[in-house]
Amino acid sequence: GTWGAATGGNGGSGIVIIRYLGAQRGTGGTVTSVDGYTIHTFTSSGIFDSSGYSAPPPPPPPPPPPPSDTNTVLLLHADGTNGSTTFTDSETTPKTVITNGNAQISTAQNKTGGASALFDGTGDYLSTSNSSDFNFGAGEFTIDAQVRFNSVVSGAALVSNACSTGGGCVQGFLFKLNGADGLRLNWYDASTIHGYAVTGFTPSTNTWYHVAVVRTGSTLKFFVDATQLGADFSFNVTMTDSINALTVG
């Protein structure tokens, strides 16, 4: 067994194995070290004294997710039970979120809150109906996400309301990887595609990154883990409103 604390006494006859979580407390028997633990084996008799000893504290829980505010128009923590397909929008006026493909909650990986959204790369995404909240026009905005790639797909979409289910992208925006070495924001005006991109971000697999694109005034900036990537872009434009659903993944 594994002992973090126990009362003192005789080991008695037979075999007793103790894996200490702290300092050795027993006398007699055989002492070995395995994987950084002290293993104490009693084959006949010995004394185990744990007075004044207690097990180390458990590891701290994951940090709580960030709170919402009135400027937040979609906030997906992806908390919940492993395998669940229920995703809750935690902002002040929640929207209904629909799962598509095999998108689901997974507790195998998390950045905050103990779970994350899992997309297998084949038709998996989340969607919510078109809303004026996602029509940024000439206003300021931030689009950000915590992402972790099992494999890095060149040009992978992160967040978008530009494309219809038929695949046509004619209005709204598309935030995505720029190839496999940067970030890109496209915006669409009928058949015209506009976009800014930065390089210098080559994500590794199985690593969490906080990615963001931010418009402040008439300036557009890209960030990875709170560090600006590349230079400022002049962004004195009015983005075309979209009638499409917003998708994540």
Side-chain angles (χ1 to χ4, degrees):
T2 300
W3 290 70
T7 57
N10 293 324
S13 61
I15 299 175
V16 178
I17 300 175
I18 299 171
R19 187 181 75 173
Y20 295 105
L21 300 178
Q24 178 182 331
R25 293 286 175 174
T27 60
T30 303
V31 178
T32 57
S33 179
V34 178
D35 295 332
Y37 292 100
T38 299
I39 308 297
H40 204 158
T41 305
F42 297 89
T43 58
S44 58
S45 63
I47 297 175
F48 177 68
D49 176 15
S50 67
S51 58
Y53 173 73
S54 60
S68 178
D69 58 46
T70 56
N71 292 318
T72 302
V73 295
L74 185 68
L75 183 59
L76 302 179
H77 295 313
D79 293 337
T81 304
N82 190 57
S84 171
T85 57
T86 300
F87 287 82
T88 301
D89 178 14
S90 299
E91 44 105 357
T92 54
T93 54
K95 299 172 176 63
T96 299
V97 180
I98 299 171
T99 56
N100 300 271
N102 296 317
Q104 60 187 274
I105 289 172
S106 172
T107 56
Q109 305 294 336
N110 73 87
K111 183 66 175 178
T112 62
S116 60
L118 175 63
F119 308 101
D120 66 12
T122 307
D124 292 3
Y125 62 95
L126 305 177
S127 62
T128 186
S129 299
N130 172 58
S131 169
S132 59
D133 286 341
F134 307 133
N135 294 329
F136 300 142
E140 297 183 335
F141 63 83
T142 296
I143 307 168
D144 71 309
Q146 297 278 1
V147 296
R148 181 183 186 274
F149 301 97
N150 292 328
S151 62
V152 180
V153 178
S154 177
L158 302 175
V159 183
S160 175
N161 69 348
C163 306
S164 66
T165 55
C169 301
V170 296
Q171 54 198 193
F173 65 85
L174 169 59
F175 181 38
K176 65 176 190 171
L177 294 184
N178 181 46
D181 68 344
L183 295 171
R184 182 177 185 87
L185 180 72
N186 285 352
W187 68 99
Y188 297 80
D189 181 7
S191 60
T192 303
I193 302 174
H194 310 273
Y196 283 126
V198 289
T199 58
F201 171 51
T202 305
S204 300
T205 57
N206 305 319
T207 302
W208 283 102
Y209 299 98
H210 183 193
V211 298
V213 58
V214 179
R215 178 181 185 169
T216 175
S218 58
T219 300
L220 190 74
K221 305 169 184 278
F222 293 88
F223 294 88
V224 175
D225 293 335
T227 298
Q228 185 171 346
L229 195 66
D232 292 354
F233 293 98
S234 176
F235 198 69
N236 191 20
V237 301
T238 299
M239 300 172 67
T240 304
D241 292 349
S242 175
I243 62 171
N244 299 315
L246 183 95
T247 61
V248 178

